[in-house]
Amino acid sequence: MRDLLSNKPWLVLFSLALIIMLTITLRASTGTFYFKYYVGREDLIGSFTATYMMALAIGAASTPLLTKLMDKRRLLITLMTCVAILCCGFYFIAPEQIVLMFVMQALIGFCLGPKSPLVFSMYADTADYGQYQHGRRATAMIFSAAAFSQKLGGAIAGAMMGWILSSMGYVANQQQSSDSQLGIVLLNTLIPAIFAIIAVWVISRYSLNEQKMQQVNQALYPPNNSSVSSSS
């Protein structure tokens, strides 16, 4: 535990996983409310969710290609910035603009898709960095704590959704007030955008760039320079 708490890149990723999970869970959990009470098209909930899941899968599959364009830290910053912009744009979509909703949802899903491959490969880097720092490797602790941060983020998002909807007068299976509808829209748009912006700031604190990891790998896995001589 002491090694983990002194591993600053890991602390950044722990915080990042929690914040991104807040973004994802809020949008995923409120999509049903959004279409049922704001758009008035409950029949589209399944298609809307399927569109998002397909976009997530395509985004995740595109990760190797995207990492060829920029390093992992810059790519995450770019993707979460796009998520923030798209979520803000979603706020201004009118209830009758169904096609635009699906397009924006697909773009958000694509931007969030590479999150897991990127972050978990970065966790592996922090394991190397921890061994470089302390001479001990805590891979199991690093990844189990990462899973805990995601669970914690999902739990906080669920509680936050309940608090906000309750405070704005939400009543299940009834016609919603204007305040309640606003709360549903905010939970699906601007509030996730705020967390995405916070995620960008958190990622900017991550220090393990390619140059630093080369230094770490050279120290942990020095090249074998021994030569084998042969006699005839």
Side-chain angles (χ1 to χ4, degrees):
M1 289 299 296
R2 186 167 60 248
D3 290 354
L4 284 183
L5 295 176
S6 64
N7 189 330
K8 291 183 180 179
W10 177 83
L11 290 173
V12 169
L13 293 184
F14 182 90
S15 304
L16 177 65
L18 190 152
I19 294 166
I20 293 181
M21 189 53 62
L22 281 168
T23 306
I24 292 173
T25 305
L26 284 175
R27 296 205 75 256
S29 301
T30 55
T32 299
F33 297 87
Y34 185 84
F35 269 86
K36 182 176 181 179
Y37 297 114
Y38 180 69
V39 180
R41 291 292 305 273
E42 194 172 355
D43 58 301
L44 294 176
I45 293 172
S47 300
F48 190 70
T49 303
T51 299
Y52 178 67
M53 298 301 293
M54 289 178 60
L56 277 176
I58 294 171
S62 302
T63 305
L65 176 62
L66 295 174
T67 52
K68 292 180 179 179
L69 303 177
M70 60 186 75
D71 62 42
K72 290 177 279 191
R73 176 178 173 273
R74 281 204 303 149
L75 179 57
L76 265 178
I77 289 174
T78 301
L79 291 173
M80 293 309 297
T81 300
C82 291
V83 169
I85 294 170
L86 290 167
C87 286
C88 287
F90 212 114
Y91 175 78
F92 298 99
I93 299 178
E96 64 273 9
Q97 293 178 299
I98 304 296
V99 174
L100 184 55
M101 290 177 191
F102 274 75
V103 171
M104 294 286 276
Q105 180 76 339
L107 290 173
I108 292 171
F110 179 83
C111 290
L112 287 172
K115 182 272 302 180
S116 291
L118 285 173
V119 171
F120 276 92
S121 69
M122 293 164 78
Y123 275 122
D125 290 341
T126 65
D128 287 340
Y129 182 71
Q131 183 179 0
Y132 171 75
Q133 273 187 311
H134 305 290
R136 295 183 295 271
R137 191 170 185 86
T139 306
M141 284 287 292
I142 282 174
F143 280 93
S144 60
F148 168 74
S149 73
Q150 290 185 320
K151 297 292 186 182
L152 181 61
I156 293 173
M160 180 182 297
M161 187 175 71
W163 296 333
I164 292 176
L165 289 178
S166 177
S167 67
M168 301 190 82
Y170 168 77
V171 180
N173 300 317
Q174 294 188 19
Q175 181 68 33
Q176 303 301 313
S177 65
S178 58
D179 286 344
S180 179
Q181 284 190 339
L182 176 61
I184 291 169
V185 172
L186 290 176
L187 283 167
N188 197 50
T189 58
L190 295 186
I191 294 176
I194 291 171
F195 285 117
I197 292 170
I198 295 172
V200 170
W201 179 82
V202 171
I203 301 166
S204 69
R205 319 309 297 175
Y206 185 77
S207 59
L208 295 184
N209 54 28
E210 290 185 3
Q211 182 179 1
K212 182 64 177 178
M213 285 310 302
Q214 286 178 359
Q215 177 185 341
V216 170
N217 289 328
Q218 286 174 0
L220 294 179
Y221 315 109
N224 187 1
N225 294 322
S226 61
S227 58
V228 178
S229 60
S230 61
S231 59
S232 56

